[in-house]
C-alpha cells in the first residue's frame, strides 16, 4: 500500500553549478519547468484521492504526471523515459529533479498510470488546464466551437478469421483451466493444437484444405459454446468467454444447404478484428484512409479553435457525429456555456443532429451530407425536388408526380418518386442515370424541405464566410496526432480514452506555456512551443 509522496525540492550541491542554465529559457523544457514547479500548477495534493493514508510514501504523483505528459510530447516508451530521467538534463529539469538524483522507474510509472486511470485523473487535469486558460483570458464564453474526428491506430494487430477463432477457443480453454474444467471441455474438440502458437500444418494454397480447417474450427467452437451453456454451474467469466467465441466464430462464415461452412465474402457489420483488443474496429475516413482501432472526437474553441475543451472516443467504425452532444456538454461544463454556433464537416450536418442541438441553443453550421453517387451516375442532388408541389424533375427535364412508399437505411417509411420505365428507356441520359428496367427512383428524406433550405443556405456568402473557420481545427488535430494521439499505446477503450485525454491536456498546456512571457491582456496564442 502506498501513501501520498511529495516532490523533493531540495537541490544537491551539484545543482548549484548552474547546469540548468544551459537549457534555453524559451524551450519546451524550461517553460514546462516554470509552469509546473515555479508557478505551482502541478501539486501533489491534487492527487491525494488516489492514495491511502497509511503505508510507504510514494514517488511524487505530480512528477509522475509530468513524466506522462513529456512521454507523449517526445513519443517515449516507459523504458526510454526511465533512461531519460537518468541521463537527459532537459528531462530532469522539466520534471523538477536533481541532476544526480534517482530517475523514475518504468514499473512505478506504469502503476501510477493505473491509479490515474482509475481515479479519472485525465479529466481532472483537462478541467484544470481549461480553467487556467479562462483565468489567463485565453479562452472565454465562446460564440463558436468546432468539432472534428480522426482515426487512432490500435495497439493490437488485426487478425484473420482462422486466427480469431483459434485464439478465442484458446481463451475459453484458459478460463476453463482456471475453473478446473478444461479436460472436460477438451474431450469435445476435434483438434488438439489450440495451445500451439504456430499455424496449423496444412497446404495454405489448397482451398479444400483451408475450407476443411475452417469447418473443423467452427464445429469445435460450436461444441464449446453449447457445452458451456448447458453447464449449470458455469462461472460468469466462462460464459462471457463462450459468448465471445460464438461471435468471432459466426461473424465471418456462411453455411449452405448441405452444411458446408466457408468464409463469406465481404466484411461483417461491427466485426471483431482482434482477440487481444476486442473493442478495436475497422474504420475509414475515406476510401484510402483506413485504420484498425479507434476514433477520437474533439471539440475546440478559443482563438482559431486552438483550445481543446472536450474529448471522446469510440471504436473506429462509429459515425463521426455520434459523440457530438456529449462534446457540447463537456464544452459547457468546462467553459461555462454552450457555443452559439457549432462548426463541423458534412458528417455533422444531418437534420436530426441539428434539431437535437438546436433544442440546447446551439446552431449547427455544416454542409448537408451529399447524396451518394453510385458508379458515377446522377445522384439525388442532381434532381429538382419540390415537396410542396409534389413533383421531382430529372436532369433531362422529365417530371414525375408518381409517389410510392419505401424505407430508408434506418427502416423508416419514406416517400419515393418513380419515373415511368418507358420514359427512362428512351432518355438520352439513361446511361448516366440508371440501369434499372423499371425506371429511376428518387427517395425523399422525411425532412426534405429542411434539407433543400439548408442546401440553398450553404451556397450563400454568409455561410461560406462562417464555415471557413472550420479549417482551424485541422491544425489542432495535427498537433494532437503528432504528440500522442495518432497511435494507441494501450489495449482497450478505457486506456485509449485516457491517452487521448492526456494528449489534449498536453496540447492545452503548451498553449499556456506559449503565453508565459506575455502580458495578461495579450490574448494572441502563438501555439505549441518546441525544444
Amino acid at each position: 500500500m502506498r501513501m501520498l509522496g511529495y516532490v523533493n525540492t531540495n537541490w544537491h550541491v551539484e545543482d548549484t553549478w548552474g547546469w540548468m542554465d544551459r537549457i534555453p529559457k524559451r524551450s519546451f523544457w524550461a517553460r514546462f519547468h516554470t509552469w509546473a514547479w515555479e508557478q505551482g500548477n502541478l501539486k501533489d495534493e491534487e492527487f491525494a484521492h488516489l492514495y491511502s493514508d497509511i503505508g510507504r510514501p510514494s514517488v511524487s504523483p505530480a512528477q509522475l504526471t509530468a513524466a506522462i505528459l513529456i512521454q507523449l510530447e517526445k513519443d517515449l516508451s516507459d523504458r526510454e523515459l526511465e533512461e531519460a530521467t537518468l541521463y537527459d538534463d532537459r528531462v530532469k529539469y522539466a520534471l523538477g529533479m536533481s541532476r544526480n538524483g534517482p530517475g523514475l522507474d518504468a514499473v512505478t510509472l506504469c502503476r501510477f498510470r493505473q491509479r490515474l486511470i482509475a481515479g479519472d485523473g485525465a479529466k481532472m487535469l483537462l478541467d484544470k488546464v481549461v480553467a487556467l486558460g479562462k483565468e489567463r483570458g485565453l479562452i472565454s464564453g465562446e460564440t463558436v466551437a468546432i468539432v472534428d474526428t480522426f482515426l487512432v491506430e490500435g495497439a493490437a494487430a488485426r487478425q484473420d478469421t482462422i486466427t480469431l477463432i483459434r485464439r478465442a477457443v484458446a481463451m475459453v480453454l484458459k478460463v476453463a483451466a482456471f475453473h478446473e474444467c478444461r479436460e472436460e471441455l477438451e474431450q469435445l474438440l476435434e483438434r488438439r493444437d489450440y495451445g500451439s502458437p504456430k499455424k496449423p500444418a496444412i497446404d495454405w494454397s489448397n482451398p479444400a484444405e483451408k475450407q476443411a480447417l475452417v469447418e473443423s474450427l467452427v464445429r469445435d467452437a460450436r461444441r464449446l459454446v453449447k457445452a458451456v451453456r448447458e453447464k449449470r454451474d458455469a462461472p460468469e467469466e466462462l460464459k462471457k468467454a463462450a459468448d465471445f467465441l460464438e461471435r468471432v466464430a459466426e461473424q465471418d462464415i456462411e453455411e449452405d444447404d448441405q452444411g458446408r461452412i466457408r468464409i463469406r465474402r465481404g466484411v461483417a457489420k461491427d466485426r471483431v478484428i482482434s482477440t487481444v483488443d476486442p473493442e478495436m474496429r475497422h474504420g475509414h475516413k475515406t476510401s484510402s484512409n483506413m485504420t484498425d482501432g479507434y476514433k477520437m472526437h474533439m471539440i475546440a474553441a478559443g482563438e482559431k479553435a486552438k483550445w481543446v475543451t472536450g474529448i471522446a472516443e469510440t471504436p473506429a467504425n462509429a459515425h463521426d457525429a455520434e459523440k457530438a452532444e456529449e462534446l457540447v456538454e463537456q464544452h459547457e461544463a468546462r467553459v461555462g456555456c454552450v457555443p452559439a454556433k457549432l462548426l463541423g464537416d458534412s458528417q455533422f450536418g444531418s437534420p436530426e443532429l441539428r434539431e437535437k442541438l438546436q433544442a440546447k441553443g446551439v446552431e449547427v453550421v455544416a454542409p448537408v451530407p451529399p447524396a451518394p453517387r453510385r458508379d458515377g451516375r446522377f445522384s439525388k442532388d442532381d434532381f429538382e425536388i419540390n415537396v410542396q408541389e409534389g413533383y421531382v424533375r430529372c436532369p433531362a427535364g422529365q417530371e414525375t408526380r408518381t409517389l410510392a412508399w419505401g424505407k430508408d437505411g434506418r427502416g423508416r417509411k419514406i416517400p419515393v418518386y418513380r419515373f415511368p420505365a418507358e420514359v427512362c428507356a428512351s432518355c438520352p441520359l439513361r446511361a448516366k442515370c440508371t440501369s434499372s428496367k423499371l425506371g429511376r427512383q428518387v427517395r425523399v428524406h422525411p425532412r426534405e424541405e429542411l434539407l433543400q433550405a439548408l442546401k440553398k443556405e450553404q451556397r450563400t456568402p454568409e455561410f461560406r464566410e462562417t464555415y471557413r473557420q472550420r479549417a482551424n481545427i485541422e491544425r489542432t488535430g495535427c498537433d494532437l496526432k503528432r504528440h500522442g494521439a495518432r497511435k494507441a499505446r494501450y489495449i482497450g477503450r478505457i486506456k485509449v480514452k485516457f491517452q487521448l485525454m492526456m494528449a489534449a491536456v498536453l496540447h492545452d498546456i503548451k498553449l499556456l506555456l506559449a503565453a508565459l512571457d506575455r502580458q495578461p491582456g495579450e490574448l494572441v496564442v502563438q501555439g505549441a512551443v518546441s525544444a
Side-chain angles (χ1 to χ4, degrees):
M1 186 174 294
R2 292 278 185 173
M3 62 183 293
L4 182 63
Y6 294 91
V7 173
N8 182 5
T9 57
N10 295 322
W11 295 96
H12 291 184
V13 175
E14 296 86 348
D15 298 321
T16 63
W17 296 348
W19 62 271
M20 66 285 293
D21 294 336
R22 296 186 291 110
I23 298 173
K25 298 300 181 185
R26 295 180 62 83
S27 68
F28 167 81
W29 316 100
R31 292 191 179 200
F32 189 91
H33 175 93
T34 301
W35 179 84
W37 315 120
E38 294 180 13
Q39 293 186 353
N41 287 307
L42 285 181
K43 300 177 181 178
D44 289 318
E45 293 80 4
E46 295 173 327
F47 304 92
H49 64 287
L50 304 178
Y51 293 87
S52 171
D53 293 331
I54 59 175
R56 295 177 297 167
S58 68
V59 177
S60 163
Q63 274 187 342
L64 290 169
T65 300
I68 291 174
L69 294 170
I70 290 174
Q71 183 180 33
L72 291 173
E73 171 67 14
K74 299 304 176 183
D75 192 25
L76 302 174
S77 67
D78 287 357
R79 289 298 179 188
E80 288 171 337
L81 181 64
E82 178 182 331
E83 291 181 358
T85 60
L86 289 171
Y87 310 121
D88 193 325
D89 286 350
R90 300 172 304 170
V91 174
K92 287 175 176 289
Y93 187 60
L95 295 180
M97 301 172 65
S98 171
R99 190 183 193 191
N100 292 329
L104 296 178
D105 182 70
V107 175
T108 301
L109 182 68
C110 181
R111 289 175 177 172
F112 173 74
R113 188 186 296 118
Q114 294 173 350
R115 288 177 183 267
L116 206 57
I117 293 172
D120 213 2
K123 178 182 178 299
M124 176 192 74
L125 290 167
L126 187 57
D127 291 345
K128 176 172 181 173
V129 294
V130 173
L132 289 173
K134 290 174 61 179
E135 291 177 9
R136 177 72 181 178
L138 301 170
I139 183 172
S140 58
E142 302 298 335
T143 58
V144 175
I146 308 177
V147 286
D148 198 19
T149 65
F150 60 81
L151 295 171
V152 180
E153 184 181 348
R158 178 179 58 186
Q159 297 169 330
D160 59 69
T161 301
I162 291 174
T163 302
L164 281 170
I165 298 175
R166 293 185 72 240
R167 295 286 175 84
V169 169
M171 288 170 60
V172 172
L173 295 177
K174 183 177 180 180
V175 175
F178 180 79
H179 294 283
E180 300 180 350
C181 57
R182 175 169 182 149
E183 292 183 5
E184 173 188 345
L185 295 178
E186 275 188 319
Q187 293 176 0
L188 305 173
L189 304 179
E190 293 181 22
R191 308 184 64 84
R192 293 290 183 268
D193 59 351
Y194 292 107
S196 172
K198 297 181 180 180
K199 286 187 175 183
I202 66 169
D203 181 1
W204 291 92
S205 63
N206 187 328
E209 288 193 36
K210 189 173 180 180
Q211 181 176 337
L213 172 61
V214 172
E215 290 181 346
S216 67
L217 291 174
V218 173
R219 286 195 296 267
D220 277 353
R222 289 174 176 175
R223 291 190 188 99
L224 273 183
V225 171
K226 181 180 179 181
V228 171
R229 289 178 177 169
E230 290 177 349
K231 194 175 181 61
R232 294 182 180 180
D233 58 344
E236 192 63 29
E237 185 183 8
L238 185 58
K239 291 179 181 178
K240 290 181 179 179
D243 291 342
F244 180 72
L245 170 60
E246 181 181 44
R247 179 171 182 175
V248 299
E250 303 292 343
Q251 66 180 357
D252 295 331
I253 61 101
E254 58 186 8
E255 192 170 352
D256 61 21
D257 297 337
Q258 285 74 39
R260 290 192 295 259
I261 299 171
R262 61 176 175 267
I263 299 176
R264 71 158 66 96
R265 295 179 180 272
V267 179
K269 184 179 180 181
D270 200 35
R271 179 178 183 269
V272 176
I273 61 176
S274 173
T275 57
V276 178
D277 188 350
E279 296 178 297
M280 286 173 45
R281 293 293 183 271
H282 291 301
H284 61 89
K285 294 285 284 184
T286 65
S287 58
S288 59
N289 181 14
M290 295 181 287
T291 300
D292 296 324
Y294 297 90
K295 184 176 288 185
M296 178 174 180
H297 306 249
M298 65 175 175
I299 183 169
E303 164 140 40
K304 296 186 177 180
K306 291 179 178 179
W307 282 89
V308 180
T309 58
I311 286 294
E313 93 302 330
T314 59
N317 62 347
H319 192 277
D320 282 7
E322 182 173 310
K323 294 291 185 176
E325 291 179 87
E326 179 183 330
L327 292 175
V328 170
E329 292 171 359
Q330 289 188 38
H331 177 90
E332 181 182 11
R334 294 189 175 103
V335 178
C337 63
V338 296
K341 295 180 184 292
L342 184 70
L343 277 59
D345 60 24
S346 61
Q347 297 296 312
F348 298 87
S350 69
E352 294 81 4
L353 179 61
R354 293 175 190 270
E355 291 176 349
K356 290 178 181 178
L357 293 180
Q358 188 65 47
K360 299 180 179 182
V362 181
E363 177 189 354
V364 175
V365 180
V368 174
R373 189 179 296 273
R374 297 178 180 175
D375 301 323
R377 295 190 174 98
F378 293 135
S379 74
K380 172 186 167 183
D381 292 339
D382 296 311
F383 290 74
E384 178 188 343
I385 302 173
N386 193 318
V387 178
Q388 292 182 343
E389 297 185 20
Y391 72 84
V392 173
R393 184 175 292 118
C394 76
Q398 298 293 335
E399 184 179 297
T400 183
R401 295 178 181 268
T402 303
L403 185 63
W405 293 95
K407 291 185 178 181
D408 64 6
R410 299 181 182 180
R412 297 177 298 185
K413 189 177 180 181
I414 58 172
V416 179
Y417 284 91
R418 299 179 183 272
F419 287 86
E422 58 274 15
V423 172
C424 291
S426 60
C427 180
L429 300 179
R430 174 182 171 82
K432 295 182 179 180
C433 188
T434 182
S435 59
S436 173
K437 296 180 180 180
L438 302 177
R440 177 65 188 253
Q441 301 179 9
V442 177
R443 298 175 180 270
V444 179
H445 193 277
R447 303 300 310 277
E448 189 64 41
E449 288 185 87
L450 174 60
L451 288 178
Q452 295 297 322
L454 291 171
K455 289 177 181 178
K456 183 178 180 180
E457 178 188 359
Q458 72 189 39
R459 292 191 289 268
T460 63
E462 293 78 13
F463 177 89
R464 290 196 293 268
E465 179 64 25
T466 301
Y467 186 68
R468 66 195 297 266
Q469 300 176 60
R470 195 208 73 84
N472 290 328
I473 201 172
E474 299 293 346
R475 181 176 297 176
T476 301
C478 182
D479 184 73
L480 287 168
K481 286 183 278 189
R482 285 191 293 114
H483 300 289
R486 165 54 73 192
K487 178 177 174 58
R489 290 169 169 261
Y490 318 114
I491 300 296
R493 282 184 64 177
I494 294 176
K495 293 182 180 180
V496 170
K497 180 180 180 180
F498 167 81
Q499 176 183 333
L500 299 179
M501 192 161 287
M502 290 298 286
V505 170
L506 171 65
H507 172 82
D508 286 355
I509 286 176
K510 289 190 290 186
L511 297 179
L512 292 170
L513 301 185
L516 277 179
D517 53 359
R518 291 197 176 85
Q519 298 300 319
E522 199 173 353
L523 301 183
V524 178
V525 180
Q526 298 298 326
V529 182
S530 61

